[in-house]
């Protein structure tokens, strides 16, 4: 078990340009060190491709890196984000599911771009690819970046509130596993599932308490309580539910570099919560400084 100083600062949810962040994994780690963080979780969407660079940067910067994945799920038409900490990156069922999600994202974005272009929006699929890193898991933020570059919207948030919202006529769904099944799959891969921002109503419809109970029965270990998209009532609700279901509570920034206003360390996780996650993990080890 890793020994951390009592005042250690822990942020367990960050993104690099391997998915929809704007910085390389090594830069994310360096920024975390600059922000005074001791531990970060690198949790890119549906990929593990940033882990090796984060490992090297963590050793250089003196930052402990918890390798993770943000697994895109769907429940009754509602997007569910499930953080998978320390899974085996070679687990075949998990890799197959992630590959299916990424492939579906690619074709889905092509269809969305065609719909937008047909209505006169200044966008092509080649531009979307240019906005993403070579091995990135593509998503709507990359469409948003093109529209922002052309001055259609001032930021990603405004694009998501308009043409990229799930209620927009330009929205196209993509393959995503059921969250209970995804929970079971992560556990089978030796990982530790923690649901991200489950009650972020500003993002759209949210899941039910019953779903979280079903996920807990399937092996989910924690709930991301402290997140900028949870207001005081949502945090209280999430914390009370975590207590009732005997789940770990985490707090995170959901950092995306320049892609979102979220700042590293704006919400943090208690050491006891990290220790509980590490105790459950059997898939892979920590990265960076040890």
């Amino acid at each position: 078990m890793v020994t951390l100083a009592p005042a250690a600062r822990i942020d367990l949810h960050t993104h690099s340009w391997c998915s929809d962040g704007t910085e390389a994994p090594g830069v994310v780690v360096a920024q975390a060190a600059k922000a005074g963080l001791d531990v970060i979780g690198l949790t890119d969407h549906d990929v593990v491709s940033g882990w090796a660079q984060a490992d090297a940067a963590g050793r250089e910067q003196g930052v402990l890196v918890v390798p993770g994945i943000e697994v895109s799920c769907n429940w009754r038409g509602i997007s569910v984000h499930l953080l998978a900490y320390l899974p085996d990156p070679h687990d075949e069922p998990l890799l197959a599911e992630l590959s299916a999600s990424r492939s579906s994202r690619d074709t889905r974005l092509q269809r969305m771009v065609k719909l937008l272009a047909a209505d006169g929006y200044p966008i092509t699929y080649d531009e979307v690819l240019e906005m993403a890193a070579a091995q990135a898991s593509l998503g709507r933020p990359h469409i948003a970046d093109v529209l922002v570059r052309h001055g259609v919207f001032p930021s990603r948030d405004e694009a998501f509130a308009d043409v990229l919202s799930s209620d927009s006529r330009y929205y196209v769904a993509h393959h995503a596993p059921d969250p209970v099944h995804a929970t079971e799959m992560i556990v089978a891969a030796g990982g530790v599932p923690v649901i991200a921002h489950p009650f972020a109503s500003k993002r759209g419809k949210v899941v039910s308490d019953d779903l979280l109970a079903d996920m807990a029965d399937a092996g989910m270990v924690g709930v991301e309580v402290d997140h900028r998209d949870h207001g005081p009532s949502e945090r209280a609700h999430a914390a009370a539910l975590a207590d009732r279901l005997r789940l770990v509570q985490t707090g995170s920034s959901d950092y995306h570099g320049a892609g979102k206003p979220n700042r590293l360390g704006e919400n943090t996780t208690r050491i006891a919560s990290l220790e509980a996650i590490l105790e459950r993990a059997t898939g892979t080890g920590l990265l960076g400084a040890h």
Side-chain angles (χ1 to χ4, degrees), residues 39-135:
V39 184
I40 69 162
L42 183 71
T43 52
D44 283 313
H45 292 277
D46 302 321
V47 294
V48 300
S49 52
W51 289 10
Q53 189 183 137
D55 185 19
R59 294 176 189 278
E60 181 180 331
Q61 299 288 336
V63 174
L64 193 66
V65 179
V66 181
I69 311 164
E70 188 166 10
V71 180
S72 307
C73 305
N74 186 280
W75 179 76
R76 299 180 182 177
I78 299 172
S79 179
V80 180
H81 294 181
L82 186 57
L83 299 164
Y85 295 113
L86 300 144
D88 177 358
H90 306 294
D91 182 80
E92 291 186 5
L94 178 60
L95 289 179
E97 188 63 59
L98 297 178
S99 178
S101 292
R102 292 195 305 273
S103 296
S104 177
R105 282 173 179 270
D106 293 354
T107 55
R108 168 257 199 135
L109 288 197
Q110 292 178 43
R111 293 166 62 193
M112 290 183 70
V113 167
K114 285 183 178 179
L115 291 171
L116 287 162
D119 278 358
Y121 286 94
I123 189 168
T124 66
Y125 190 64
D126 284 343
E127 286 182 288
V128 173
L129 294 178
E130 288 174 10
M131 298 303 295
Q135 300 300 318

Side-chain angles (χ1 to χ4, degrees), residues 24 41 58 114 121 149 204 208 236 240 249 280-281:
K114 285 183 178 179
Y121 286 94
R149 183 169 69 178
S208 70
Q249 298 181 32
R280 299 287 193 95

Side-chain angles (χ1 to χ4, degrees), residues 19-30:
S19 62
D20 55 345
T22 61
E23 299 167 341
V27 174
V28 174
V29 174

Side-chain angles (χ1 to χ4, degrees), residues 234-284:
E234 288 91 355
R235 294 186 188 213
H237 179 188
L241 187 62
D243 285 342
R244 179 166 67 82
L245 297 175
R246 300 182 181 276
L247 298 173
V248 167
Q249 298 181 32
T250 68
S252 309
S253 65
D254 199 358
Y255 178 72
H256 284 70
K260 287 185 177 182
N262 310 41
R263 296 297 90 195
L264 285 163
E266 66 181 30
N267 292 293
T268 56
T269 294
R270 294 187 295 271
I271 292 176
S273 294
L274 174 60
E275 289 175 341
I277 289 170
L278 297 179
E279 286 172 2
R280 299 287 193 95
T282 60
T284 193

